[in-house]
Amino acid sequence: LLDKVAKYCKSAGFKSRETLYIAMKDAQFLRLIDNNPVKATKTYPRPKRKITVLNKSQTRCFLTAAKERNWFLEIILGLYCGLRKGEILGLKFDDFDFEERTVTVQRQLVADIETKEGTYEIIKYQSILRDPKSESGKRRLKVPEIILVEVERRKDRIQLLKERMGEDFQDQNFISCQKNGNPRGLCSLNTEIRRLCERNGLPHITVHGLRHPYVKPTTKNL
């Protein structure tokens, strides 16, 4: 099947294999199958994507604007730690070690979509926690001081929300949460970045664009 569809266009083989891999991984997670058979199939070249990266002056402008918003912590986690969107949104306060100045990445927030049988009509959509994309995705990273400072500020802000909301606050220990404590939407971070770029005359970037210039500090796979 993969060999057949790979002939349609340059990206068909890669995207089809990726889709099958995700489907089989979900089936394995639900214990419908014992292993993911796509792992043993032939791989196809990944199409090269053009990624927009801000230069130093643009990054300085971007961060100055971001510091006035409620997403500053999430943005610098992408920029300074190279975290993926789902990894950022899945972080909890307990993942940070202030003595060692590290953050442990051990989960990600992903979409769980249920469609009407035989159609693409979505009948259920929710965000759930899963392991990182690969075993190497479970890692411990050194973090700069600015991130630890912002984590403390975020903790104080969420504590005020807890006191204000009372029993209506769903305390799940997320560093990035809505006013009721539930995790933020999966598209919300990219939406915030797009707005920041538009309002400050900057090229449009995504969370992946923040990750691209990241240089790994000392890391340790878990």
Side-chain angles (χ1 to χ4, degrees), residues 71 74 85-86 88-92 107-110 125-129 158 169-189:
W71 288 90
E74 289 82 354
K85 176 179 64 178
I88 294 171
L89 297 178
L91 282 176
K92 300 191 176 188
R107 75 187 75 81
Q108 62 174 333
L109 194 72
V110 299
Y125 179 95
Q126 62 179 348
S127 298
I128 61 173
L129 292 174
I158 291 178
F169 189 87
Q170 306 296 315
D171 191 0
Q172 301 177 62
N173 205 32
F174 286 111
I175 67 160
S176 185
C177 66
Q178 303 176 52
K179 291 182 178 180
N180 62 0
N182 289 327
R184 282 168 158 168
L186 290 169
C187 297
S188 50
L189 180 51

Side-chain angles (χ1 to χ4, degrees), residues 86-217:
E87 294 172 339
I88 294 171
L89 297 178
L91 282 176
K92 300 191 176 188
F93 286 106
D94 293 343
D95 296 324
F96 290 87
D97 186 323
F98 283 79
E99 291 187 4
E100 297 293 329
R101 296 189 176 188
T102 62
V103 61
T104 300
V105 181
Q106 51 191 331
R107 75 187 75 81
Q108 62 174 333
L109 194 72
V110 299
D112 182 36
I113 302 173
E114 183 180 341
T115 58
K116 189 174 181 180
E117 188 174 356
T119 73
Y120 293 104
E121 180 184 349
I122 297 176
I123 58 177
K124 183 180 180 181
Y125 179 95
Q126 62 179 348
S127 298
I128 61 173
L129 292 174
R130 284 191 182 166
D131 291 340
K133 292 181 68 173
S134 63
E135 283 303 312
S136 61
K138 295 181 179 181
R139 59 204 188 277
R140 186 176 295 115
L141 303 171
K142 287 287 186 181
V143 296
E145 181 67 22
I146 187 174
I147 287 180
L148 298 178
V149 170
E150 290 301 322
V151 169
E152 288 283 18
R153 287 179 179 172
R154 179 64 58 83
K155 186 183 293 186
D156 291 341
R157 185 162 67 84
I158 291 178
Q159 181 59 38
L160 290 176
L161 282 175
K162 290 180 185 178
E163 295 172 2
R164 188 180 308 151
M165 297 292 292
E167 294 181 357
D168 293 330
F169 189 87
Q170 306 296 315
D171 191 0
Q172 301 177 62
N173 205 32
F174 286 111
I175 67 160
S176 185
C177 66
Q178 303 176 52
K179 291 182 178 180
N180 62 0
N182 289 327
R184 282 168 158 168
L186 290 169
C187 297
S188 50
L189 180 51
N190 271 330
T191 299
E192 172 66 13
I193 292 173
R194 175 178 56 78
R195 287 173 180 167
L196 281 170
C197 291
E198 289 176 352
R199 292 172 181 175
N200 293 277
L202 298 169
H204 176 251
I205 60 170
T206 63
V207 179
H208 195 79
L210 289 177
R211 294 182 64 231
H212 202 67
Y214 165 70
V215 178
K216 290 184 180 181

Side-chain angles (χ1 to χ4, degrees), residues 3 15-16 18 48 54 56 58 62 65 72 75 79 96 115 147 157 159 162 176 182 185 187 192 197 204 221:
D3 283 339
K15 293 304 295 183
S16 298
E18 181 183 56
K48 291 184 178 180
L54 302 180
K56 287 185 179 180
Q58 290 171 334
F62 178 78
F72 186 58
I75 286 171
L79 184 64
F96 290 87
T115 58
I147 287 180
R157 185 162 67 84
Q159 181 59 38
K162 290 180 185 178
S176 185
N182 289 327
C187 297
E192 172 66 13
C197 291
H204 176 251
N221 290 342

Side-chain angles (χ1 to χ4, degrees), residues 6-45:
K7 298 174 183 178
Y8 284 98
C9 64
K10 291 182 178 179
S11 62
F14 174 82
K15 293 304 295 183
S16 298
R17 186 177 187 272
E18 181 183 56
T19 301
L20 281 176
Y21 183 91
I22 293 171
M24 295 299 175
K25 185 177 180 181
D26 287 346
Q28 187 179 8
F29 178 78
L30 295 172
R31 298 182 180 179
L32 300 175
I33 56 177
D34 294 329
N35 55 69
N36 190 337
V38 182
K39 289 182 179 180
T41 62
K42 169 186 169 184
T43 59
Y44 296 85

